[in-house]
Amino acid sequence: MDSSLGISRRALLASAPALAGGVLLAPRASAAPAPFRQPPLLRSANGVLSATLRVAFTRGVLPGVGNVNLRLYNGHVNGPTLRLRPGDVLDLEHVNNLPPNPDQNAHGDHNIPHKFNSVNLHTHGLHVSPAGNADNVFREFAPYDPANGLTTRSYRSRIEIPSDHQGGTFWYHPHVHGSAAVQLSSGLLGALIVEGAIDRVPQIAAASDVVMCVGELKLSNGQVPELRAEDDLSAVRSTFVVNGNYQPVIRLRVGEVQRWRLVNASAFTVLPIEVEGHTLHQIATDGVAFTRTVERDRVTLSMGNRADVMIKAQRPGSYRIMAGGTLLATMTVQSGPGVRMDLPTDLPGPAPFIDPLEVTRHRSLTFHSDTDAFPGRPFTHAFRITGDGATPATRDPADPSDPTYGRFDPAFVNHTLRLGETEEWTLRNDSADHANHPFHLHTNHFLVTAVDGRPLDTPVWQDTIGINKAGSVTMRVRFKDFAGRALVHCHQLQHEDRGMMQLIEYVA
């Protein structure tokens, strides 16, 4: 560990629970398969969850991977799980121990990646205020840098969870425009749980509650490259970790039922997750419970998506947990006496519909990217959102052939959204070369009613959804409760950092 952290590895190890402490970097390599560990768990008490998240470079050995030097929360490859109840307050101190940004006061193109050592906080999927010191992604927690007038390392967030907030699985990560992809690729992420009615379903309450947060590290010689040219991250082979563990082994007994909270916390890759020889019994998507359990052979998660699934161990043996051709983990079902546990059927999900008669406005957004729009520059591609409310180009009138057209401008409000109103949006993906564009809306969930023009038999509540190449998504959304500025963007975070993002403002 860097000596600049001011804390010894022995002290860090002594503070970590033996089997639920997440992954601290080890002083030396080990050939043994990694045991499955959950991240450190922090619970609210008396209505408040107070905690400190320290961000710093941490050196050590990631078992199964090798020597690394990563930006991490509290020295863990995967931050702590934050567990709250509706009506609680999340009170976080953020301590930024990263080095000063060499480009702290540079004023170039804001859609060129920059300020990789500035962080902030986004609570992905929570229905909370986007303003002030809550889920405000326009804040910047810059590193200590007296030469540039930055004389603090400490910043605070105070997020009030509504008393009627749904129970479910959410997550958090930094969201400074220009540095999000680099920081998520380093392991700055963590799960966030809000307890609710779904947790009281008898079969769910009887099962072990297991976080499976999948991170995607981009390691070149043990470090995450700074994104200074087009392929600095995308050309680096991905290393997938579960709660910071590389290909861990999770053990169950025959007949045992567990609840897995699957989080795709990667910045680049869609994860089609399946378990050899087993069915996944899905009970929620993106923190919203279903009304009945749905059996699936595979659960596909775009970047930012979550799925809560129940799994029942069948016969003794070892079974791979796969995401396409990538091994994420292994499930070992132990021989010997089994247990009798049941799977849930009926669930306390929300009414799964917004009537089209409630819709007061329609919008259309197109996710569009161009290869070699800026020839001869370190970043050659243009990533943008066009259609309704597109960002004006630098010249007037806007010229859609101008590669700067439709790229994010932090001073331009693309969409004014009125609280209490309901809208229907059509999302399209017409990118020929960069087809991986998951749409994410901050602050409010939306109801997906059709994909590629085909109505869904059962509409699904989500906060993130992948848009197929040459495809479309139709969704309805009711803007509720919270005024303030927020974002819609592509959750392939390199695309977001490069301009595939729009500014929205919720107004009373």
Side-chain angles (χ1 to χ4, degrees):
M1 178 171 299
D2 278 346
S3 59
S4 61
L5 300 188
I7 184 170
S8 71
R9 181 169 307 282
R10 178 174 296 177
L12 277 172
L13 290 171
S15 68
L19 292 179
V23 178
L24 285 163
L25 297 182
R28 62 183 64 86
S30 171
F36 183 88
R37 298 178 187 269
Q38 296 201 65
L41 176 62
L42 304 177
R43 292 179 177 268
S44 62
N46 301 317
V48 179
L49 196 165
S50 294
T52 299
L53 296 177
R54 292 181 174 84
V55 179
F57 277 107
T58 307
R59 296 180 185 272
V61 177
L62 181 58
V65 175
N67 293 303
V68 296
N69 183 25
L70 299 172
R71 296 174 180 88
L72 298 177
Y73 286 125
N74 301 350
H76 290 260
V77 187
N78 204 117
T81 297
L82 309 177
R83 188 168 184 126
L84 303 107
R85 299 182 177 91
D88 283 349
V89 173
L90 178 59
D91 183 12
L92 292 177
E93 179 188 18
H94 309 267
V95 179
N96 187 344
N97 284 324
L98 294 171
N101 290 304
D103 56 356
Q104 181 64 45
N105 290 325
H107 300 288
D109 182 349
H110 51 260
N111 290 315
I112 297 298
H114 57 283
K115 290 201 284 192
F116 301 120
N117 292 334
S118 286
V119 298
N120 63 10
L121 178 72
H122 175 44
T123 52
H124 185 121
L126 285 191
H127 179 60
V128 295
S129 172
N133 62 355
D135 186 38
N136 184 347
V137 297
F138 300 101
R139 301 174 73 196
E140 179 187 350
F141 306 158
Y144 180 76
D145 184 6
N148 284 312
L150 301 168
T151 57
T152 183
R153 303 180 190 273
S154 177
Y155 304 83
R156 298 200 77 86
S157 295
R158 180 180 171 86
I159 299 175
E160 298 180 0
I161 312 298
S163 59
D164 61 350
H165 200 289
Q166 73 243 10
T169 304
F170 308 93
W171 66 296
Y172 63 92
H173 61 93
H175 206 301
V176 175
H177 182 55
S179 63
V182 166
Q183 292 175 0
L184 198 61
S185 298
S186 187
L188 282 173
L189 57 100
L192 195 158
I193 294 169
V194 178
E195 297 177 358
I198 190 171
D199 305 309
R200 297 188 287 274
V201 174
Q203 298 91 339
I204 297 174
S208 296
D209 193 329
V210 179
V211 169
M212 287 193 175
C213 203
V214 181
E216 181 179 13
L217 306 179
K218 289 287 189 175
L219 299 174
S220 177
N221 297 319
Q223 300 187 73
V224 177
E226 293 189 344
L227 186 52
R228 302 295 185 185
E230 195 67 62
D231 296 325
D232 281 352
L233 286 181
S234 56
V236 176
R237 183 180 67 87
S238 296
T239 299
F240 291 93
V241 291
V242 181
N243 302 339
N245 305 273
Y246 181 69
Q247 299 182 352
V249 178
I250 184 169
R251 303 185 186 280
L252 286 78
R253 294 171 291 171
V254 174
E256 181 180 357
V257 173
Q258 291 189 352
R259 174 194 189 167
W260 291 357
R261 299 179 184 265
L262 302 172
V263 181
N264 183 353
S266 71
F268 292 87
T269 304
V270 177
L271 300 178
I273 298 177
E274 56 189 316
V275 182
E276 286 182 327
H278 288 77
T279 298
L280 300 174
H281 305 266
Q282 189 171 358
I283 59 175
T285 287
D286 285 358
V288 181
F290 293 171
T291 55
R292 288 186 64 83
T293 302
V294 177
E295 294 186 1
R296 303 191 190 282
D297 295 327
R298 177 186 303 110
V299 173
T300 299
L301 302 180
S302 289
M303 297 79 86
N305 278 144
R306 289 89 61 217
D308 287 40
V309 301
M310 310 296 291
I311 188 161
K312 185 169 185 175
Q314 301 296 328
R315 296 163 299 280
S318 291
Y319 304 93
R320 296 179 299 172
I321 303 172
M322 302 292 293
T326 299
L327 175 66
L328 297 179
T330 299
M331 183 179 76
T332 296
V333 181
Q334 299 170 321
S335 58
V339 294
R340 295 177 59 88
M341 298 181 69
D342 297 321
L343 292 161
T345 52
D346 295 327
L347 303 168
F353 197 65
I354 295 177
D355 194 290
L357 296 177
E358 300 177 57
V359 173
T360 57
R361 177 168 177 166
H362 294 78
R363 299 181 196 252
S364 178
L365 279 66
T366 299
F367 287 70
H368 180 81
S369 60
D370 294 295
T371 301
D372 297 328
F374 305 105
R377 302 185 191 179
F379 293 98
T380 59
H381 306 333
F383 297 95
R384 44 192 168 153
I385 300 176
T386 60
D388 293 350
T391 306
T394 53
R395 58 178 175 262
D396 189 28
D399 178 4
S401 66
D402 181 352
T404 65
Y405 177 70
R407 300 171 77 218
F408 177 65
D409 182 347
F412 184 83
V413 177
N414 302 90
H415 304 282
T416 299
L417 310 175
R418 301 192 178 279
L419 299 184
E421 293 192 357
T422 300
E423 297 190 0
E424 182 172 86
W425 292 16
T426 301
L427 315 169
R428 295 185 174 87
N429 176 358
D430 70 352
S431 298
D433 298 317
H434 311 104
N436 198 353
H437 297 316
F439 167 84
H440 175 46
L441 170 66
H442 287 212
T443 311
N444 289 283
H445 275 70
F446 50 83
L447 184 68
V448 179
T449 59
V451 174
D452 297 337
R454 295 187 296 273
L456 301 184
D457 293 336
T458 303
V460 181
W461 288 98
Q462 297 188 229
D463 58 50
T464 308
I465 186 166
I467 315 168
N468 296 325
K469 184 176 181 180
S472 67
V473 169
T474 303
M475 61 88 160
R476 298 176 192 146
V477 56
R478 183 179 295 115
F479 311 120
K480 297 172 56 181
D481 300 326
F482 301 110
R485 292 191 172 188
L487 298 170
V488 297
H489 63 88
C490 176
H491 219 282
Q492 208 278 34
L493 292 185
Q494 182 167 302
H495 298 174
E496 172 222 296
D497 284 336
R498 298 284 308 289
M500 191 170 271
M501 183 158 68
Q502 290 188 331
L503 178 60
I504 61 177
E505 184 166 16
Y506 297 110
V507 299

